[in-house]
């Protein structure tokens, strides 16, 4: 069950992507496609692990010009084909507790007359973490990568 966002703890982002849900789903679930949009360009992403099932790991690295370094070490909590992806960095693959938990994200895909209604609901354990994520550039960062996702699935580039 997804609860309504709590403005004290959560950040949200939504966008209409002019492509079918299947295309958006494939861009999320195929490591080669995911690597094309997951980090803001010109940075590059490497998918180290993507075990797309509850308990499976999601590990990425980022290269901002100085070589690849750790970016995300997370665990999928729920996967509902073409509908919802839930992951957290509070756990790593295999349900192991993470050293520094920060957020849990719920990505939902819905039908829209123009394609796909894409929504991200990112939850934090404290207002301080939420505010820090916003100050780190949540809107620009997550907005940029969703734009890159849209470009990939809308135009194939």
């Amino acid at each position: 069950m997804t609860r309504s966002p709590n403005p004290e703890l959560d950040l949200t982002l939504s966008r209409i992507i002019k492509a079918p849900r299947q295309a958006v789903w494939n861009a999320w679930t195929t490591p080669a496609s995911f690597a094309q949009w997951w980090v803001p360009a010109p940075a590059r992403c490497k998918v180290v692990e993507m075990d797309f099932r509850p308990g499976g790991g999601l590990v990425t690295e980022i290269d901002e010009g100085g070589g690849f370094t750790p970016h995300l070490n997370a665990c999928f909590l729920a996967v509902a084909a073409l509908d919802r992806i839930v992951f957290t960095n509070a756990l790593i693959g295999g349900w192991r507790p993470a050293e520094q938990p920060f957020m849990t994200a719920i990505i939902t895909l819905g039908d829209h007359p123009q394609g796909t209604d894409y929504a991200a609901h990112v939850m934090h354990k404290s207002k301080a973490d939420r505010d820090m994520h916003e100050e780190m550039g949540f809107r620009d960062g997550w907005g940029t990568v969703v734009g890159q996702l849209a470009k990939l699935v809308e135009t194939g580039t």
Side-chain angles (χ1 to χ4, degrees):
M1 175 174 91
T2 302
R3 297 181 187 269
S4 296
N6 175 340
E8 293 289 313
L9 300 173
D10 303 344
L11 295 167
T12 61
L13 179 105
S14 61
R15 179 175 177 142
I16 303 306
I17 298 177
K18 295 176 182 172
R21 282 195 329 184
Q22 184 70 56
V24 176
W25 182 261
N26 291 346
W28 246 101
T29 60
T30 306
S33 294
F34 188 79
Q36 292 180 53
W37 65 268
W38 181 240
V39 300
R44 296 180 309 137
C45 176
K46 181 191 310 180
V47 177
V48 176
E49 180 181 358
M50 182 182 268
D51 186 1
F52 214 76
R53 63 181 176 80
L58 174 59
V59 181
T60 61
E61 293 180 349
I62 188 170
D63 179 1
E64 297 178 278
F68 283 99
T69 58
H71 176 249
L72 177 68
N73 192 353
C75 179
F76 289 107
L77 301 176
V79 176
L82 301 173
D83 184 48
R84 185 170 63 144
I85 302 161
V86 183
F87 66 96
T88 186
N89 71 348
L91 300 169
I92 61 173
W95 307 107
R96 296 251 175 232
E99 286 186 35
Q100 301 209 356
F102 182 64
M103 60 97 195
T104 297
I106 302 169
I107 307 299
T108 56
L109 308 176
D111 288 327
H112 187 275
Q114 295 179 339
T116 302
D117 185 1
Y118 182 97
H121 176 182
V122 183
M123 301 177 288
H124 304 84
K125 68 183 180 299
S126 67
K127 183 173 182 340
D129 280 357
R130 180 235 180 255
D131 292 348
M132 181 175 70
H133 200 181
E134 187 167 49
E135 289 166 15
M136 287 170 40
F138 170 81
R139 304 237 180 266
D140 288 341
W142 283 62
T144 295
V145 300
V146 171
Q148 292 172 174
L149 166 61
K151 182 180 178 192
L152 176 68
V153 297
E154 290 172 357
T155 66
T157 60

